[in-house]
Amino acid sequence: MHGQNPPEENERLDDGRRRTLKALGAVGATAGVGGAAGWSDVASALGRRRDQSAVPRQQTDGAVLEDRYLQIALLAAREAAAIHDEQFGEIKTAETKAPQQLVTEVDTEAEQAIRDTIRDELGDEFEEDGHTLFGEEQGGTRSGDFVWIIDPLDGTTNYVRGIPHFCVSIAVVREGELHAGLVYYSPRDEVYAAVAGEGAIKFEDTGGDPTEVESVVPLSVTDVSTIEESFNSVGFYSGASAVNPRYFLLFREFVAESLGIRQLGAAAVDMVLLAEGAFDTFSCWALKPVDVAAGTLIVQEAGGRVSDFRGDDDVETILRGNVLATNGPLHGKVLGRYRNPRTTLDDLKPEN
């Protein structure tokens, strides 16, 4: 990776890359490009968070971190984030595994590191308790008592292009229900995490004991209740996401009537920004289970709602990837706009 540089030079270069990545993440946050703190500041400045009346289910800071599977997810995500840091700015090329889908050696190395950590931490329990792994790059099975759904680098195109906005996403499905979800925002070492029934939190990871995290912040969605006041993440991440005319028209209505839209290039991050109160809605067509599994639980535990575009909130339905997530008050209204658009595609044709 570093050619024939001496070890001390390699270490200096690695430290330099890490410092550069964190600095870029901080700048991105300030500019509103890629940092949760920056989006929170924007949301607060717009006055949209108000009294946060849409409260999460339970605001118990320590309970989330006491969950063993969440702790293992954090340890695994750290390994992947370290690989992100080490090679950020080094990757200049990527393979195309499918139309508009890139894969790099960072994706594959990070996923292997996650898989190895989970297996090592669980030991004999992995086989005895029916754990299985399902990852973005290596695939796997989603049949098992405990299914670990892994995206080692969500936002690969951003990463390749030098945009500091990407993450690790890990979810645990226990007996068919989402049990734990963790999104590790690598550019700022920020962790968004949730455990079913225990709420959702955010904290800065300093690499210490997972049970001794400081400055834990409970997550809560906004109470915005009108399309006109809403700030929305609308994703078109592949050609498959651009074939639904109703989705196009929903996009048009957000552009024409809301405070605005953003597509930041990492769906899992967009979902946790909704949980944090930066966005009021998140919508995307034709995602994958690895993109939405962790974010779904984090949004739900922060007080929001997640479903498909028919309003079905069954876990397996959501994991098919046609996802609408909102703060709750907006859910029915967005579904209504999707079902009954105010315009047609003919209305969008340019005049001769």
Side-chain angles (χ1 to χ4, degrees), residues 18-324:
R18 280 189 283 272
R19 287 193 299 272
T20 299
L21 179 55
K22 304 311 172 190
L24 284 170
V27 170
T30 303
V33 172
W39 285 114
S40 296
D41 292 344
V42 171
S44 180
L46 289 172
R48 298 184 296 104
R49 302 189 74 173
R50 292 191 285 275
D51 61 0
Q52 296 291 345
S53 60
V55 296
R57 296 179 188 176
Q58 189 172 347
Q59 300 254 8
T60 51
D61 295 354
V64 173
L65 294 168
E66 291 170 2
D67 185 84
R68 181 164 182 249
Y69 302 118
L70 194 284
Q71 293 172 11
I72 293 173
L74 174 57
L75 295 174
R78 281 177 182 169
E79 295 295 322
I83 294 171
H84 295 179
D85 287 4
E86 181 182 359
Q87 299 194 46
F88 185 72
E90 292 286 290
I91 303 298
K92 304 300 183 184
T93 60
E95 297 180 11
T96 302
K97 61 182 177 180
Q100 299 171 308
Q101 295 183 28
L102 302 181
V103 61
T104 71
E105 62 189 61
V106 174
D107 296 80
T108 54
E109 288 178 18
E111 182 167 322
Q112 190 60 55
I114 292 170
R115 288 171 174 265
D116 291 344
T117 301
I118 293 170
R119 285 182 172 275
D120 289 347
E121 291 294 325
L122 289 171
D124 292 340
E125 292 178 39
F126 187 89
E127 302 294 342
E128 293 172 357
D129 292 345
H131 289 263
T132 61
L133 304 174
F134 181 84
E136 168 77 1
E137 308 309 333
Q138 296 184 34
T141 177
R142 289 199 286 123
S143 297
D145 293 332
F146 294 86
V147 181
W148 295 74
I149 301 179
I150 303 162
D151 193 339
L153 177 56
D154 185 33
T156 299
T157 303
N158 283 351
Y159 188 89
V160 171
R161 292 293 182 130
I163 299 171
H165 188 71
F166 43 84
C167 71
V168 185
S169 177
I170 302 174
V172 181
V173 177
R174 183 174 186 173
E175 297 179 347
E177 298 294 333
L178 287 166
H179 170 74
L182 182 142
V183 171
Y184 195 116
Y185 186 61
S186 309
R188 294 173 62 86
D189 288 329
E190 290 177 338
V191 179
Y192 298 79
V195 171
E198 301 294 352
I201 61 173
K202 172 187 171 182
F203 59 90
E204 181 179 355
D205 182 40
T206 57
D209 188 321
T211 64
E212 298 178 356
V213 172
E214 298 180 357
S215 302
V216 173
V217 178
L219 297 178
S220 179
V221 295
T222 70
D223 62 355
V224 168
S225 60
T226 67
I227 298 294
E228 290 74 17
E229 293 179 284
S230 67
F231 190 51
N232 310 281
S233 169
V234 180
F236 290 90
Y237 287 113
S238 68
S241 67
V243 298
N244 183 335
R246 290 181 183 270
Y247 189 53
F248 263 124
L249 293 174
L250 179 64
F251 168 79
R252 180 262 172 203
E253 294 200 21
F254 279 141
V255 171
E257 299 183 32
S258 75
L259 283 180
I261 63 161
R262 296 292 185 271
Q263 178 179 332
L264 304 181
V269 183
D270 285 5
M271 292 191 79
V272 299
L273 290 178
L274 165 62
E276 189 178 16
F279 288 125
D280 302 304
T281 78
F282 165 85
S283 55
C284 197
W285 198 265
L287 291 172
K288 299 178 180 179
V290 297
D291 299 317
V292 300
T296 292
L297 183 63
I298 294 169
V299 169
Q300 291 171 336
E301 289 295 322
R305 286 188 61 188
V306 186
S307 73
D308 71 357
F309 286 87
R310 297 172 299 178
D312 187 344
D313 60 3
D314 178 75
V315 173
E316 281 303 311
T317 300
I318 292 170
L319 294 182
R320 291 176 190 147
N322 298 330
V323 174
L324 171 66

